[in-house]
Every structure is written in C-alpha cells, then in structure tokens.
Amino acid sequence: MFEIVSKRELAPNIVEMKVYAPRVASSALPGQFVIVRTDRTGERIPLTICDYDTDKGTVTIVTQAVGHSSRKIIDMAEGDTFADFAGPLGCPSDLLDLPEEELKKKRILFVAGGVGTAPVYPQVKWLKEHGVDADVVIGAKTKDLFTYVDEMKTVGNVYLCTDDGSEGFHGMVTGLMKDLIDNRGKEYDHCVIIGPMIMMKFAALTTKEYGIPTVVSLNALMVDGTGMCGACRVTVDGQTRFTCVEGPEFDGHKVDFDEAMRRQNMYRDHKKTHPETHNCKCNG
Amino acid sequence: MANRIPRVPVREQDPQVRATNFEEVCYGYNSEEATLEASRCLNCKNPRCVSSCPVHINIPEFIRHIAEGDLKSAAATIAADSSLPSVCGRVCPQESQCEGSCVLGIKSESVAIGKLERFVGDWAIANSGDLPKPEIISNGKKVAIVGSGPAGLACASDLARLGYEVKIFEALHEVGGVLVYGIPEFRLPKERIVAKEVDAVRRLGVEIETDVIVGRTMTIDDLLDNQGYDAVFIGSGAGLPRFMGIDGENLNGVFSANEFLTRANLMHAYDDSFDTPIYTGKKVVVVGGGNVAMDAVRTACRLGADSVIVYRRSEAELPARVEEVHHAKQEGIEFKMLTNPVRILGDEKGWVRGIECVEMELGEPDESGRRSPVKKEGSNFEIDCDVVIMALGTSPNPLIKSTTKGLETNRRGCIVADEDGRTSRKGVFAGGDAVTGAATVILAMGAGRKAAKAIDEYLNNQVCES
C-alpha cells in the first residue's frame, strides 16, 4: 500500500526514500513526523518528514541505519511497500504560526547535524516560499557524510563545517555558529537545531550564550506515537512533556538533554535478540 | 422449572503453567457444561439482568436457546444488541452488572451469564459461515467513525444495520483499540477472538481504514465538509498516561502501563520473532489497583519477573475485577496493600534500582465513598526492583480537541457529550473513554449504541427539515 517510489543512498548507511502516502502528503507540514512499520513483525519507528509532494502523493523520509529496525528500513528496495506509514504526527513548526509581517523580519539560523539535515530542509524551503532567506549551518564528521547539501543550497544560505576540516569550516557546528556571529557580523533572533541529541545540547548552549531563542526537534523513543503510551516523555522546564503530541519541537534552552539522551538509549542496554543474530543451536 | 444445581465451574489453565505462557487462562464451557449451566436460569418475567446490561442483551432468551440446544437462535438474540459477545463474555465485569443482579445470586450463585455469552460468541465465530447474512437496505447516508475500539465498533454495527454507509478510521495499524493494545492475549486472544468479531462487523458492510489519525491525517471538519460524511462519531478512547509526579519517574525502567502493555500486546514484544523490545528485569513493581494494573503485573510475571502490586488502599477497595485479582494471586503475584510510592530510586546510570514507599491507613470516606488512605508518618521503606510500571489511568488524547473548532471539552479534557452522545458540534457525536475517561469495554459499547440511535434520529430529522 505505501510503496517506495524512489530510493537513493545519500551517504554510507543513510538512505532517502520517497513513499507513496497521499493522505499523509496532503496534510504534512514542516516539523512533523511519521510512524512507519516495515512489515508484520516490525517496530513502529518515528521518522521526521523531510519533504512532501501533495500532487504526487509522496512523502520523503531519510533513515540512518543504527540498529536492527532502521537497517530493515534501509534494506527495503524501490517498489517495496511499508506495512504502515501513519501521520503526519506532532505539531508543525512554530514558525508557521507567525504572521507574515513578523516572519519576514526574522533572522533565522538553522543548525543541522548528521541525519538531522534532511528534516531541516522542509522548514527552510517553506520559509523560502514565504520570502524568508535563512542561514543553515550543516555539520558532519567528514565531507563524505554530508547529506542534502545541494538541496539545501537551493533554498537557504548554507555554511558547512567538518570535524576533520575536509570541507568548510574546520570544527564543530558550535564553532561555526560562533564564527558567523563573532567574526562575520551575523545576527540572529531565532534558531532551529535538528540533529543528534548531543549536538543539539551543545548547539543550544551556544545560542543561550548569545541569547537567541532556540527550538530543537527531539527524536525520542516512541511506541504508538499518537499520544497513548508516554514512552516519549521528556522534561522541559521541569515539566514532563510528551514529544509525540506536544512536540517534537521544544524550547532548546529548557530541555533536559541529559535525561533525554539517557532515555533514548534505554533499549540499547537491553537489546532484543533477533532470530538472525541469535546464535543458539536450537534449530540444529 | 429451572435446574437447582450449583453453578457449573469453568475449566482454567493450571496457574503454575499459565504464569509462564500467554495462552488463554480460562477455557470456557463446552457444549455439555453450557447446556447444564443454561438450565439454571429462572427465565424471570422481569429480568433484572437485562436492565443491568449496558447494551440490554435479552439474556433470558439467549440462555433459553442454549438450554434448547438452538445456538443459531442464541447467537441471533445476542447479535441484535451486541457485536462483540466473545469479547464481552471474557472482559465484562459481569459480577457488578448482569450477574450482580441475577435473582439466583441472592440465595446462592448467579447464573454464569458471562461464560454462557462467551460460549455463544465462540460458537458463532466457529460457525460464521452458517449464520444468515443480515439483510441491509442502504439509505445512502455516510457516517464516519473515529477509532475502532469497542465504542466505534458498536456504533458502526448499529448504523450499518440501519442502512448507513459506515467507515471507521483507526490510528494504529491493528483494528480493535484497547482490545488489541490494552487487554493481554491471555485474557482476550487477538487472532482467534478479536479479529474474528471485527470480521463480523465488516460483514455488515462496515469499512475500516487503519493508519489514519483523525485530528492529524484529516480533521473532523474535513470529514464533514469535504468528504461527504453526514455525521461523525468520535470513539477515540483514552489518551496520555498519568504519572504520580514523584521523583524518579523519568528514570530508565519506569513505564506507563499503556506503554508496557502496548509493547506486549499490540507489538507482540513477548514473541522473539517480533522486533519491538520489552524490558522487565528481575523484579517489577506495578503501582495501581485497577484491571490495567492486573494486566500489567500478570504480563510482567509471564515475562519471567517477580511481580508485585503496590496499592494505596486495602484489598476491599481494589477497583480491579475480583476474578482478575484471584487469577493474579493464583499466579504468584505479591500484593502490597496500603502502600504508596514516595519516590523511585535510581542507580548511577539512571536505571531504576528500587522504589521508596510509605505505609498507609484508611481514614474518612472521600467523595467517591471509599475510605481515603492516609500516610503513616515515618513508615517509609524500600522495595528493590528493576522496573516500575505506573497504572494510574489516563487523561484524554488532546489531538481531536486541539484540531476541531467548536468541540467543547471539560476541564479534564474529556469531550462533553449528553446521554446520547451529542456534542457541542452539530453532526458530531462522541462516546466511550473519550467522553467518560477510562471505563470499561461494555460501557463504551453502550455509549456507541446510544450514539448510533441519536445519529439515526439526527439524520432522519435533517431530511424532514430540508
């Protein structure tokens, strides 16, 4: 039912898929996510929407293989179908609620890292369509791991950095953010950070130093993703919040990242043994 | 004259064996047992059991058909009022409804109405091919139902029988709502029972689409304004889990009962061929005393953990069904009554290592009429455990409320609806947990049926007006 109409590898173990899901495509907005399930035995996996095409009825997702279930997703081929592709879930980006006049005055910085780059794209694209040029800092360990840079360049002002200096600014996103503000005369009054939890934590600390209001998009563990199980709870400003219905975007200066990182790794400590990696001799 | 024999006992899986598997606990009656039990019914002129049943099944009539050996008629009698007899026969709190008001119960034991209903339901599933297909004449009107749980299924069945074109939109990937994500396999088999009764609803012509989150994928307004539906019934069920607000609730190893049960039931995490993980550690403490708490603790036990219930009142106040408490005890669950958690203790890695509790005693009755528990100062003690499961109820899902203009909700976030399910929005009806907060399968079904009647009235009057 939810057919993969195209698939391409963006970097080693990072795959982009356009999936036919017309109901989701017609309702999706920047900042939202979907829950996918590969097959009858699969987990429900939340993935941020990276683009959507209402006419073609497709939704774009980008997946990085980090464990068994994400590996199952990236191993699917063009023409294969997801058993389930439900959404859009979560609240759209707050930027969408701003009056046009106010929005046009905003000087917005996006900070993207790793597989978080693709989910930044629909927001920057949406802003471009509404007459706002945003700056986008994209960080990667090394230049081969960049994704979505060409797409991003068509909609925003892109600044690259690599940990090893192989392309762009030599250093991490926090270094490049400081460089833009301190040495290149940039001023921002809104920042959106999407990427690995640890990068969001430190990038948000940096914007805090400069007093820039900051939004982060959390990729918490979820089961149903529709506001039922409470697995995705995070502490924001001392309050328990549910990422799936109240997020995924929260005030980056108020999220308890240490708790969020610990909770995200909950099942890494207690992995499920899967039949194909199961080494017992019970089947002879 | 009714047979003056004691209530026919029902066969169950041995407690020690079943505590290690997910097979159904209760085997139900066979044909001889059911016929014998049916012979006990007095066939009262004013059957109190019928008025205590939220969907008013003609209980004496279906029981009489069993006694006569006419199961086809027994199934037809129940089907007139309920599309889920195999489900309700298993999970209804009969002791406080039909069986609770059975005249026989005054001097001896009530008729085992629930077990007889289950027997008829299971017979109907096994013989579905032989049952007459109901004749339905389409009236050309469309009704959308939000949620495929008991409220939605009951509402859909009644409307389909009245000739409406009915479509159910389900947010999850399986059909059945709480019947598939909440109630465990060992109480309510999914493929053998739930899926089959859902199939029976489909045979009435009801269409069901999964993976549609009404409020996100499409809105109530979309359904009414753009998709040609004449009315909508919201049976979206319970929502976000409640927590206590004590220290340590976000430690790794603290789960809501909803999460723990959804992993086990909907996602089949107890089965190694499914990908979703579930964690119990060696010892699990479940906080709460309702049916959901019993389901969670018995699931944890089956996954191999020492399992304990912690409840702040005494055993007499446990909201769970007596049968569930009895089954849990047989399976070796420890019950710590008059005990309330104070905080959850973590290790250096942020995982649960124990729970600090305080002893309670019962004081004056509170507004619910139950004696309210009062803390015994200085009685704090710790229980070592790896997992804490909070089974404290839920608050309604905010999705539909936040995306439907003009839909009134109360201060707890529940949709405001009258006795017959009418909401503040014209053409929008609601029932079940979305309106009442967490309740039972059968109450949700009752609400779904009442709303179906109100929707039918509303749409007929509309025709007259136009």
Side-chain angles (χ1 to χ4, degrees), chain B residues 78-121:
Chain B
I78 298 179
D81 296 295
S82 171
S83 40
L84 306 174
S86 285
V87 169
C88 292
R90 286 171 168 82
V91 304
C92 263
Q94 290 99 6
E95 64 280 5
S96 58
Q97 295 175 355
C98 54
E99 294 181 20
S101 50
C102 174
V103 174
L104 283 184
I106 300 170
K107 283 191 175 158
S108 68
E109 281 181 298
S110 63
V111 175
I113 301 168
K115 300 289 182 279
L116 290 174
E117 182 188 22
R118 167 189 161 140
F119 171 73
V120 175

Side-chain angles (χ1 to χ4, degrees), chain A residues 170 240 257:
Chain A
H170 187 171
T240 293
F257 281 105

Side-chain angles (χ1 to χ4, degrees), chain A residues 23 27 72 84 229 233 272, chain B residues 209 211 217 249 256 269 275:
Chain A
R23 285 202 199 278
S27 308
K72 262 173 91 167
D84 302 281
C229 80
R233 61 194 191 276
K272 184 152 182 165
Chain B
E209 183 174 341
D211 292 336
T217 315
E249 273 185 313
S256 75
D275 297 339

Side-chain angles (χ1 to χ4, degrees), chain A residues 39-91:
Chain A
D39 63 330
R40 195 181 68 86
T41 59
E43 278 188 87
R44 291 172 67 90
I45 301 288
L47 293 170
T48 311
I49 293 170
C50 301
D51 203 359
Y52 45 89
D53 186 328
T54 315
D55 296 335
K56 290 186 181 142
T58 58
V59 175
T60 306
I61 51 169
V62 171
T63 315
Q64 178 169 29
V66 287
H68 175 78
S69 291
S70 46
R71 169 67 58 190
K72 262 173 91 167
I73 295 173
I74 77 160
D75 285 348
M76 289 171 80
E78 223 167 82
D80 286 354
T81 54
F82 282 96
D84 302 281
F85 197 92
L89 290 158
C91 302

